[in-house]
Amino acid sequence: MKELDSDEKDLFFVSAYYYGNEYGFYENQVSLTFIAPRDANWDRRKIIVIKSNDTSAVLEPMKVHRATPHNVCRFVTLQGTVTLRNDLMDLEVLVNKNIAPIRYLPADNKQRDLVVCTPPIYGNVRWQSVLLAAHVYPRFGGHLQTYFSNSKPEFYELLEELKRLKGISVTPFPHFFGNTKLDEIEFGGITVANADCLSKYKSSASFITFLEWNELLIPKTFDSYFSEFANYFESEIFVGLLEFRNANGTSKVVTRPLLIDSVWLNEPVERPFKLKR
């Protein structure tokens, strides 16, 4: 995760994941996530990608979608998609007459029943909530994706504890534009973290949900997340969302990730058919 090398400092690269030949629907695609100032208007400007190998190079505009629908926060989340040829290619982005290399990683390829995407661990997040979630979700077959952005000593100790647990991934959340705080990113980085999480797991997870740290999802009828949600989805092949309400009455969703491409806060930007529970 790093800032692209441009004089205006108006585009920040977060992550990129590659889906190879074995990924079917997303074959040979690279899904990219960026942060940009709201006034940079990258959803209306052209981002040129350079795809190259030992024998050739191709320039083409990238399809970019702005996941953040408002201009309240200073920084917004962008997502882009690039399709490579069958052979792996180098990927670069042309930004303001400067060329920046993009390092893409293989998307997660381990079959997972449910992935729980969470906001960055930052600010008023309680370490007790994180530790509870880290133990509960794997108990029912879930996988917890966390993003770490906290300098308090007790959270460093927590990080070391989390690394020893199964069923959890810990990803550092970067400093960017010279900032060490997430105050100016939408709601402390929820959208960009969930966008990264969706891109990483959408080809390997049967279901994905986007939850806050003060929420805990537990199967009600069955003893695993997969059995619980497959029971609702099994006869509804075109349904992409299962909507439910938490204890406060707030609407939450469990998604079939293959039917969505981007997320804003805790909701998919696309609105596929949904079931209400």
Side-chain angles (χ1 to χ4, degrees), residues 18-21 27-30 51-58 82-91 104:
Y18 170 69
Y19 311 98
N21 297 327
E27 182 176 350
N28 290 334
Q29 285 189 8
V30 178
K51 303 182 293 185
S52 61
N53 56 22
D54 294 336
T55 59
S56 63
V58 178
V82 176
T83 301
L84 305 182
R85 294 204 300 263
N86 288 332
D87 51 334
L88 287 174
M89 308 178 74
D90 292 329
L91 192 62
Y104 53 87

Side-chain angles (χ1 to χ4, degrees), residues 43 62 105 136 142:
D43 50 326
M62 181 192 302
L105 302 174
V136 169

